[in-house]
Amino acid sequence: MKKLALISVGLLAVVHAHAQTFPSKTITIVVPFAAGGPTDRSARDLAEALRKPLGGVTVVVDNVAGAGGSIGANKVAKAAPDGHTLLLHHIGMATMPTLVRNIPFKVESDFEYLGMVSDVPMTLIGRPTLPAKNFKDLTAWIGQNKGKVNLGNAGVGSASHLCGLLIQNALQADMTTVPYKGTAPAMTDLIGGQIDLMCDQTTNTSSHIEAGKVIGYGVTTAKPLTTAALKDLPTLSDAGLKGFEVVVWQGLYAPKGTPTEVVVKLNSALKAALKDADFIKKQEGLGAIVVTGKRLDVDEHKKFVAAEIARWSPVIKAAGVYAD
Ligand code: ASP
């Protein structure tokens, strides 16, 4: 009994020591997609905004891309639970368990939830040389090119994969999907005309739509967006896909077992970072909405993800859009 008490006093001391010394070295935010894409862009903005509330520590981004985001997420699930390795991931945390049934980690039990970051709409975009200049013409063009249309994405289980599958399902169109390690390399090929279509976050597509490098066909929100680059695009719902809505929320995670005090420190740092005027300006200028309120609390973040898993699972199953 006495020995047990001594062990728990010892453990408590270790936990306090963690909290007092944290952060003791560079913090790495793992992005499970290629550099230059929307998740990467959010992570780099966030890394900058987190620096001050974490006492000036260096925060870097590590792109661990592949397998639709599951390689990077798995790396963080298995990393040392000391708060120095974090994961920024999106809606894939909720859709992947249904889309990909053999992922090597458990979304609900292998992570500490640190709070949500932002909600990012998506856009359906096409290569600049496509003859269809609006969504109505695009659906006709897809019909005339059965078996020939291809659609880029960031790999099985990614947001662009989900969005593309839902669009194909809604249009009853069968397209060839071309997976990349993120939508940044897919965007290069779309601009170059190697692929025809892609669905991607506004944080990556806005500048290319505005510059005329790709054609924008519609946004995936219930209401039209008001940012300069996107204000002229219809919602896909109004353009013909009634009720079509996908918003890519993003959240921050640490490996399961990270000491509670460290989780609390990271959560308060995140809350401070999301009030950073520069961070808000950069993200919201690209159509994202920075999270405020309850979803910034770790319990609410966890509840939200569980609800999203429950929400998307029947949609994915009903559409029959499994990846395996
Ligand atoms: N936009 C990508 C996705 O479809 C991820 C990325 O490249 O950031 O999930």
Side-chain angles (χ1 to χ4, degrees), residues 206-222:
S206 293
S207 59
H208 299 301
I209 293 173
E210 206 167 24
K213 288 187 180 166
V214 295
I215 303 172
Y217 291 108
V219 295
T220 63
T221 40

Side-chain angles (χ1 to χ4, degrees), residues 3-278:
K3 202 171 171 190
L4 248 183
L6 273 177
I7 291 172
S8 41
V9 167
L11 274 179
L12 218 68
V14 171
V15 166
H16 280 302
H18 271 306
Q20 267 157 26
T21 53
F22 177 80
S24 58
K25 56 179 180 185
T26 297
I27 292 180
T28 301
I29 301 178
V30 170
V31 167
F33 298 103
T39 318
D40 179 67
R41 185 185 298 250
S42 296
R44 285 174 200 275
D45 290 350
L46 185 64
E48 227 174 283
L50 276 171
R51 185 185 239 284
K52 201 166 148 204
L54 284 171
V57 72
T58 306
V59 184
V60 297
V61 169
D62 182 18
N63 298 88
V64 184
S70 61
I71 295 176
N74 190 43
K75 183 174 179 183
V76 176
K78 313 269 184 313
D82 59 9
H84 293 95
T85 309
L86 309 178
L87 171 71
L88 181 74
H89 205 339
H90 60 33
I91 190 170
M93 288 293 263
T95 55
M96 205 179 266
T98 313
L99 276 171
V100 192
R101 282 166 287 190
N102 56 2
I103 46 170
F105 55 85
K106 291 194 178 64
V107 169
E108 290 182 273
S109 54
D110 284 350
F111 297 95
E112 302 292 343
Y113 289 60
L114 302 176
M116 304 198 62
V117 175
S118 56
D119 293 314
V120 195
M122 299 190 96
T123 39
L124 176 64
I125 52 175
R127 63 174 158 85
T129 46
L130 267 187
K133 302 298 174 214
N134 57 46
F135 186 72
K136 191 167 165 265
D137 293 352
L138 178 69
T139 52
W141 180 82
I142 290 170
Q144 289 150 13
N145 287 279
K146 279 202 179 82
K148 291 191 219 149
V149 181
N150 58 47
L151 181 69
N153 69 32
V156 169
S158 63
S160 45
H161 177 227
L162 172 79
C163 182
L165 287 172
L166 294 172
I167 285 179
Q168 288 182 82
N169 188 57
L171 290 176
Q172 295 291 299
D174 208 2
M175 304 179 201
T176 305
T177 48
V178 186
Y180 291 81
K181 288 191 171 179
T183 42
M187 183 68 87
T188 306
D189 276 7
L190 188 76
I191 293 170
Q194 280 84 26
I195 53 171
D196 297 314
L197 294 169
M198 180 164 70
C199 201
D200 196 19
Q201 284 103 304
T202 58
T203 38
N204 193 31
T205 62
S206 293
S207 59
H208 299 301
I209 293 173
E210 206 167 24
K213 288 187 180 166
V214 295
I215 303 172
Y217 291 108
V219 295
T220 63
T221 40
K223 287 188 187 148
L225 297 173
T226 53
T227 57
L230 306 169
K231 64 177 179 357
D232 296 330
L233 289 190
T235 67
L236 288 176
S237 181
D238 286 345
L241 302 183
K242 201 104 223 83
F244 192 95
E245 195 181 344
V246 186
V247 173
V248 182
W249 45 264
Q250 307 193 96
L252 195 65
Y253 306 81
K256 185 78 191 168
T258 304
T260 309
E261 282 85 344
V262 173
V263 169
V264 170
K265 263 197 179 181
L266 284 165
N267 175 251
S268 345
L270 178 65
K271 285 176 173 163
L274 298 192
K275 286 195 184 122
D276 183 292
D278 201 39

